[in-house]
Amino acid sequence: MSNPAIIPFLDLITPHVELEHALTEVFHNALRSAGFVGGPMVEEFEKAFATFCDASCAVAVSSGTDALRFALMACGVKPGDVVVTVPHTFIATTEAISQAGALPEFVDIDERTYNMDPEKLRNYLEKQCTIDPSGRLISHRSGRPVTAVVPVHLYGQAANMDPILDLADRYGIFVIEDACQAHGAEYFSQKQGRWLKAGSIGKAAAFSFYPGKNLGACGEAGAATTNDQQIAARIKILRDHGQEKKYYHNIEGYNGRLDAIQAGLLQVKLAHLGDWNTLRRKRAADYNRLFANSDQSLTLPHEPSWSRAVYHLYVVRTDDREGMMAHLKNTGIGTGIHYPIPLHLQKAYSSLEYRCGDFPVCEKIAQQILSLPMFPQLTAEQQARVAEESLWFLKDPIISQKRTTDHSTALLS
Ligand SMILES: *Cc1c(COP(=O)(O)O)cnc(C)c1O
């Protein structure tokens, strides 16, 4: 029995229990056909997911990290190249860049959307790079050619793509979307005069189906999307040991294929993704209403008019983040920090020789961000309690300490 006093950060059990019959059917079918890797279940899911993203092709792979690595390689990123991205993302973004043989370099984020700031990208391309006699764009930092930019659609909200695409065009570099948190997110392109789906905007895009994502497998999975058949064909070869035909290897590739069972499970869940995203948007609007009178102490998510976010996470900011997190924990409410340490300050990237102060917006918000419980099945009562406890803490951290003690006693009794 789950304790009603506990509000989890994420509930992965309810949606699977609700779909248990259809999900186990996938497993039974796989046992009877013994088609475990690739095959028709994978192809059907690829078609359905491409349609969902308004992209012409989707290639299913074993993780979001592989999707991004293969997308970069298939688009032509070469060992020794520089790929520009943001320091405020999950490390898989830069791992994929490094695994493609390239070097990650960073530009800071926008303080309101937490995504790549096109002005910072412009500044990087104009001031921190030069075009060499052969026409290549060379980074001053590393002396290496810059060939791609990876905007991340963080927390389920698209990055501001029009100016990023414009700049990339002007400097002859290509754009790969990290859409690993943004299944179904939409961006209004002023230039095209229409809404575009995440995964259909850049030259290619990467999605993750890690269990906690808006669309999650029951294990590891991912997909790359693109409108370019040739790029899709290259990604297919990369995921399957470099072979176009069994035992005819064009290149040395990887084992990055998707299990048929995971594809089947994803196909079942994909039918619900639209509704789940709608519920997430409702939950976000409800939080916004509940927090409407929290004065200046709480910064709510900002959704620009050109964005329809799918709220993979609902992230607020406050000065006493640690205090608020501890208070919520003590009252049985789960939270998270996405992410506490900017990538340029991680030990793993000390060799890049970035310093504290290099990306002030990202460094500042990393101290303040807090992700509140967010999942489609979150109830109005649960949200009301999250809001009540948060507002109580923000009004009076001292009183809330006493109340927490009382409440914990109540939880125990
Ligand atoms: C989850 C995630 C990834 C990686 O996906 P995996 O499936 O875990 O490999 C990449 N980028 C971002 C922004 C993510 O959130």
Side-chain angles (χ1 to χ4, degrees):
M1 277 294 285
S2 61
N3 184 343
I6 303 286
I7 302 175
F9 173 62
L10 172 65
D11 174 10
L12 278 182
I13 296 172
T14 307
H16 292 105
V17 170
E18 281 170 9
L19 297 174
E20 194 170 326
H21 180 74
L23 294 173
T24 41
E25 201 51 33
V26 170
F27 186 61
H28 285 150
N29 289 341
L31 289 183
R32 282 178 220 126
S33 68
F36 294 125
V37 177
M41 289 218 280
V42 172
E43 282 160 28
E44 269 165 44
F45 171 66
E46 288 176 334
K47 275 203 201 99
F49 191 67
T51 303
F52 179 85
C53 297
D54 288 342
S56 39
C57 321
V59 183
V61 296
S62 51
S63 70
T65 312
D66 269 2
L68 189 54
R69 167 171 53 163
F70 298 157
L72 289 163
M73 295 174 81
C75 287
V77 166
K78 301 249 168 347
D81 288 0
V82 166
V83 175
V84 190
T85 190
V86 285
H88 185 60
T89 178
F90 181 53
I91 193 171
T93 309
T94 44
E95 283 175 333
I97 291 169
S98 302
Q99 288 166 7
L103 188 74
E105 290 191 3
F106 300 113
V107 297
D108 209 349
I109 54 167
D110 177 276
E111 184 161 351
R112 296 183 73 189
T113 62
Y114 314 132
N115 280 328
M116 180 177 282
D117 183 342
E119 278 310 306
K120 311 267 169 55
L121 178 65
R122 178 196 309 280
N123 184 73
Y124 170 88
L125 295 169
E126 278 178 4
K127 309 261 168 63
Q128 298 171 51
C129 296
T130 23
I131 297 171
D132 78 358
S134 64
R136 296 185 314 168
L137 183 69
I138 304 292
S139 152
H140 296 170
R141 245 194 108 72
S142 56
R144 300 192 190 186
V146 182
T147 54
V149 54
V150 177
V152 181
H153 306 319
L154 204 69
Y155 306 156
Q157 172 151 276
N160 189 2
M161 295 299 285
D162 273 353
I164 294 172
L165 288 165
D166 268 353
L167 284 164
D169 234 28
R170 192 172 327 148
Y171 285 89
I173 62 179
F174 51 84
V175 179
I176 310 272
E177 303 163 66
D178 183 337
C180 285
Q181 299 189 1
H183 322 65
E186 289 176 272
Y187 172 75
F188 188 82
S189 167
Q190 204 75 45
K191 226 175 146 188
Q192 299 193 36
R194 64 190 179 102
W195 289 93
L196 305 174
K197 281 262 186 90
S200 71
I201 311 172
K203 201 169 163 81
F207 288 88
S208 166
F209 306 123
Y210 186 75
K213 305 288 164 109
N214 287 30
L215 177 63
C218 302
E220 303 279 355
T225 54
T226 176
N227 292 317
D228 184 325
Q229 308 281 345
Q230 274 185 338
I231 289 172
R234 272 184 235 137
I235 297 172
K236 283 185 184 170
I237 290 173
L238 284 164
R239 78 171 167 187
D240 193 18
H241 299 294
Q243 60 189 2
E244 205 171 341
K245 207 166 88 179
K246 206 163 176 69
Y247 304 131
Y248 288 75
H249 305 274
N250 299 357
I251 53 164
E252 220 181 43
Y254 300 85
N255 180 349
R257 297 165 305 219
L258 181 65
D259 289 355
I261 289 173
Q262 295 302 342
L265 300 170
L266 284 164
Q267 181 83 300
V268 169
K269 294 177 78 180
L270 179 59
H272 300 271
L273 180 56
D275 290 343
W276 287 336
N277 281 343
T278 303
L279 286 172
R280 284 175 184 272
R281 289 181 58 76
K282 284 210 178 96
R283 304 288 91 105
D286 289 343
Y287 270 139
N288 290 345
R289 255 193 307 280
L290 289 162
F291 286 128
N293 53 8
S294 66
D295 57 57
Q296 303 305 308
S297 52
L298 200 66
T299 307
L300 303 182
H302 173 64
E303 197 175 329
S305 57
W306 42 259
S307 165
R308 280 189 203 134
V310 291
Y311 292 92
H312 172 58
L313 297 169
Y314 184 88
V315 178
V316 297
R317 271 162 65 196
T318 185
D319 285 333
D320 188 6
R321 187 260 312 274
E322 308 308 326
M324 181 161 155
M325 195 174 187
H327 173 70
L328 293 178
K329 183 170 184 231
N330 289 335
T331 55
I333 296 169
T335 58
I337 301 173
H338 303 88
Y339 298 90
I341 312 220
L343 289 185
H344 68 287
L345 301 177
Q346 293 280 1
K347 197 167 145 202
Y349 291 121
S350 56
S351 65
L352 297 181
E353 296 189 332
Y354 283 103
R355 282 188 310 255
C356 201
D358 282 345
F359 304 105
V361 178
C362 167
E363 289 165 25
K364 178 175 109 181
I365 67 125
Q367 311 280 325
Q368 303 171 327
I369 45 175
L370 184 64
S371 309
L372 299 181
M374 170 52 81
F375 46 92
Q377 297 79 12
L378 193 65
T379 67
E381 295 72 38
Q382 288 176 318
Q383 284 196 280
R385 199 156 81 74
V386 173
E388 187 204 343
E389 293 297 348
S390 304
L391 291 173
W392 188 281
F393 172 79
L394 291 165
K395 284 236 174 57
D396 198 334
I398 304 285
I399 293 178
S400 83
Q401 264 177 21
K402 166 156 189 334
R403 223 176 80 102
T404 299
T405 323
D406 299 346
H407 196 95
S408 316
T409 327
L411 274 179
L412 289 172
S413 59

